């Protein structure tokens, strides 16, 4: 049997196998990076859910204070309801969806800030142990939200950098994912009125 006669076939099959495993590696890495973005988005949603749960407890604690401004509580409750109504599918997220989500969450932050400022006029509420604990937990949760959003953006950067680079872009059909951005006007200083 003449081995040299089959050498071109062996080399051809070997090259096909090498290319096939290389493409499979590209697709598997793309899938892992896509899943990492989805996981980080889940962490963002979990952080916001924690804040929404704490807001419910905070509102109930504040309701117990006599003569507390009902309009402030209503604004917090309505903002929370709007924020929980906006949902995003991380596998098919668009910049518009992320902007709507961010805007709804910004409304919660704004109304919550107004609530906490108005609490200053109620010494019995400021001395309430439950309220103080909830206030500390909210501050901690806001830091968790910031961390989750930062990690989401880092995983999006890694994902987008991978899927858009050549040769991966030749073999992958994934779409670029948007980054979490600040809400419009966030670059302006906050105006504080007393």
């Amino acid at each position: 049997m003449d081995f040299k006669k089959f050498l071109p076939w062996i080399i051809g099959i070997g090259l096909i196998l090498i290319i096939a495993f290389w493409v499979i590696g590209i697709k598997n890495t793309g899938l892992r990076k896509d899943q990492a973005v989805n996981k980080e988005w889940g962490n963002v949603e979990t952080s916001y859910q924690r804040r929404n749960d704490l807001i419910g407890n905070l509102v109930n604690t504040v309701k117990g204070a006599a003569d507390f401004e009902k309009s402030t509580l209503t604004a917090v409750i309505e903002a929370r309801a709007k924020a929980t109504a906006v949902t995003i599918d991380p596998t098919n997220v668009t910049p518009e969806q992320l902007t709507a989500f961010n805007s709804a969450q910004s409304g919660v932050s704004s109304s919550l800030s107004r609530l906490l400022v108005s609490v200053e006029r109620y010494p019995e509420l400021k001395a309430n142990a439950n309220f103080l604990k909830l206030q500390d937990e909210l501050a901690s949760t806001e830091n968790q939200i910031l961390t989750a959003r930062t990690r989401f953006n880092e995983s999006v950067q890694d994902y987008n950098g991978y899927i858009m680079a050549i040769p991966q872009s030749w073999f992958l059909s994934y779409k670029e994912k948007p980054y979490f951005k600040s809400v419009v006007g966030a670059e302006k200083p906050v105006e504080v009125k007393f």
Side-chain angles (χ1 to χ4, degrees):
M1 185 158 130
D2 189 17
F3 181 71
K4 290 182 182 181
K5 184 171 138 183
F6 295 108
L7 190 58
W9 285 98
I10 293 171
I11 291 172
I13 291 171
L15 283 175
I16 290 172
L17 285 174
I18 289 170
I19 291 171
F21 284 120
W22 177 65
V23 171
I24 289 170
I26 286 174
K27 290 191 176 269
N28 286 340
T29 302
L31 177 66
R32 279 192 300 277
K33 291 185 183 292
D34 183 54
Q35 291 302 306
V37 170
N38 294 344
K39 178 193 111 191
E40 292 302 335
W41 179 252
N43 291 342
V44 168
E45 288 183 320
T46 300
S47 297
Y48 279 116
Q49 182 61 51
R50 175 172 164 70
R51 178 174 73 172
N52 286 335
D53 294 344
L54 288 172
I55 288 171
N57 293 338
L58 186 70
V59 166
N60 288 334
T61 302
V62 171
K63 274 183 186 176
D67 300 327
F68 196 83
E69 294 100 12
K70 301 258 186 266
S71 62
T72 306
L73 285 174
T74 303
V76 172
I77 293 167
E78 288 173 359
R80 179 181 171 219
K82 285 179 190 172
T84 56
V86 178
T87 57
I88 291 180
D89 175 13
T91 59
N92 200 22
V93 65
T94 64
E96 295 79 19
Q97 289 173 329
L98 210 51
T99 300
F101 181 86
N102 204 18
S103 178
Q105 295 300 334
S106 176
V108 173
S109 296
S110 176
S111 62
L112 190 57
S113 295
R114 285 192 301 275
L115 173 71
L116 294 176
V117 166
S118 63
V119 161
E120 293 299 317
R121 290 178 265 170
Y122 295 87
E124 72 281 355
L125 191 54
K126 284 174 34 180
N128 181 314
N130 284 341
F131 178 79
L132 294 174
K133 183 177 181 228
L134 287 168
Q135 201 172 10
D136 286 344
E137 285 188 40
L138 272 172
S140 170
T141 300
E142 291 298 329
N143 288 332
Q144 288 174 358
I145 289 171
L146 173 63
T147 301
R149 287 172 57 159
T150 301
R151 288 182 181 157
F152 173 77
N153 280 348
E154 288 168 353
S155 68
V156 167
Q157 178 187 16
D158 186 42
Y159 167 85
N160 286 346
Y162 183 79
I163 66 149
M164 295 171 65
I166 294 176
Q168 293 90 300
S169 61
W170 297 340
F171 301 102
L172 298 175
S173 59
Y174 294 116
K175 293 187 294 187
E176 181 180 6
K177 293 191 188 282
Y179 290 95
F180 226 120
K181 296 180 181 171
S182 63
V183 292
V184 177
E187 71 282 355
K188 296 176 187 165
V190 177
E191 185 178 327
V192 179
K193 293 181 182 177
F194 292 101

